[in-house]
Amino acid sequence: MPLLHVNGIELHYHLQGKGTALVFLHPPTMGSRVFTYMSNDLSQDYRTLLFDFRGHGRSASSSAAITIPLLVEDTCRLMDALDIRSAYLCAYSMGTMVALEALLTHPDRFLGAALLAGLPEASGKAIRFLARAGMVASSLRAKGLVAFSDSWVHADSPETFHRLRAESASGDPAKWREYIAAGLSYSATDRLKRIRRPVLLLYGQKDRYFLPYSRVLQERLAKVSTAWIPDAWHTLPIHSADSCSRFVRGWLRAQGASEKMTEAEEAYRAEAIPDPGEFGYGDPLQP
């Protein structure tokens, strides 16, 4: 993966494939390698762009504090440098906040987004607790522990574990904390109705922490398709990469079709996730 100087920072990126661009956005502490399986698959039909946010993976750190709008700006400037005029987004976990902000502030640039375990705000008690625990670990300079735990949870093989751990350990814990803090203070909930671009929601059926947010996104987004991955937890980009790529590929193809609903779109609606209440999960936006 080469480095490119954009927006005052050296960003580590990897571009492959041809056709419509699909840009991947990762969550805090991790790098873009979490999307390797999906990118390798989808690059057969699309132009996929992986990159590490500033202070993550092998991208350089910076004096500027990370905010959600700054990460959107970094994404746009990298696209400029690579001559990518428009793109779809594929984001995971807290990275979906960056995707939502991009759709809100640059609707002319971003054609839509696939959100894996998406959330418009970190209002759930469990998620806020886990996020703050990550901030504390980073503050205590437990960089190796954070890299180990994230890699262990996501890895599907020893090789994947070592690669994820090496990438995460290359990052700057100060930037991890800033990214997490930015996510904890961010909210797109009251602005979701302003998003007119299509959005695909993917959740693991067993993801108790993030699944409840599907209700909020489904109710407020204008053009939304939702699907759930049976027997899957939170770690969709790796442990459910094949299923996610299949859904994303079908959804992207559907966006290039006519206004008439296609069979792919029919399939997404048919597999729409049940009301989170049916799983016994509460509304994360309620106190």
Side-chain angles (χ1 to χ4, degrees):
M1 293 175 71
L3 289 170
L4 195 59
H5 188 84
V6 295
N7 207 27
I9 194 74
E10 295 283 342
L11 294 180
H12 199 227
Y13 76 96
H14 180 60
L15 187 64
Q16 60 181 335
K18 297 180 180 180
T20 301
L22 178 62
V23 181
F24 291 84
L25 307 174
H26 66 79
T29 76
M30 307 193 73
S32 59
R33 189 178 289 275
V34 71
F35 293 115
T36 296
Y37 292 158
M38 292 186 66
S39 177
N40 288 342
D41 185 345
L42 291 167
S43 65
Q44 299 176 50
D45 301 300
Y46 303 97
R47 192 182 187 195
T48 60
L49 172 60
L50 298 180
F51 78 100
D52 299 330
F53 286 134
R54 56 178 68 205
H56 289 72
R58 301 191 185 280
S59 287
S61 189
S62 69
S63 58
I66 284 183
T67 65
I68 300 301
L70 178 60
L71 295 181
V72 173
E73 183 181 349
D74 285 348
T75 305
C76 290
R77 298 293 77 79
L78 179 60
M79 289 170 58
D80 289 342
L82 296 172
D83 196 27
I84 299 175
R85 297 184 179 182
S86 62
Y88 285 92
L89 297 169
C90 183
Y92 169 49
S93 195
M94 197 172 279
T96 62
M97 294 177 169
V98 182
L100 289 172
E101 186 66 16
L103 292 176
L104 283 163
T105 57
H106 296 78
D108 57 327
R109 201 86 207 255
F110 298 103
L111 307 175
L115 308 182
L116 282 57
L119 73 171
E121 63 178 86
S123 53
K125 293 181 179 178
I127 289 179
R128 294 188 71 83
F129 174 80
L130 291 172
R132 286 169 175 159
M135 291 181 66
V136 170
S138 299
S139 297
L140 294 176
R141 298 183 180 180
K143 180 178 180 179
L145 177 60
V146 175
F148 178 92
S149 60
D150 281 348
S151 302
W152 181 263
V153 169
H154 284 82
D156 62 343
S157 70
E159 181 181 7
T160 300
F161 167 74
H162 289 299
R163 290 182 175 180
L164 289 173
R165 185 182 183 186
E167 180 182 65
S168 182
S170 298
D172 179 358
K175 296 297 135 182
W176 300 353
R177 293 194 300 272
E178 291 172 2
Y179 190 176
I180 295 172
L184 287 172
S185 63
Y186 179 81
S187 177
T189 302
D190 293 337
R191 299 178 290 155
L192 291 174
K193 292 183 178 180
R194 290 167 43 190
I195 296 176
R196 312 310 299 178
R197 293 296 192 179
V199 176
L200 171 64
L201 305 177
L202 294 178
Y203 291 91
Q205 184 182 6
K206 296 182 178 181
D207 188 351
R208 299 184 62 88
Y209 296 144
F210 286 75
L211 182 56
Y213 289 100
S214 64
R215 177 189 299 171
V216 180
L217 292 165
Q218 284 178 317
E219 290 177 350
R220 304 196 184 201
L221 289 169
K223 299 179 181 180
V224 61
S225 302
T226 312
W228 55 282
I229 312 298
D231 299 319
W233 300 86
H234 181 68
T235 54
L236 296 178
I238 292 182
H239 292 105
S240 300
D242 289 345
S243 295
C244 288
S245 293
R246 176 171 57 84
F247 277 115
V248 172
R249 177 178 279 106
W251 175 76
L252 286 172
R253 287 176 177 170
Q255 305 318 307
S258 64
E259 291 296 323
K260 183 178 179 181
M261 185 178 293
T262 65
E263 291 184 4
E265 290 172 311
E266 293 273 15
Y268 296 134
R269 295 202 175 188
E271 295 186 75
I273 199 164
D275 187 312
E278 295 182 20
F279 291 114
Y281 307 154
D283 187 336
L285 300 189
Q286 295 298 320

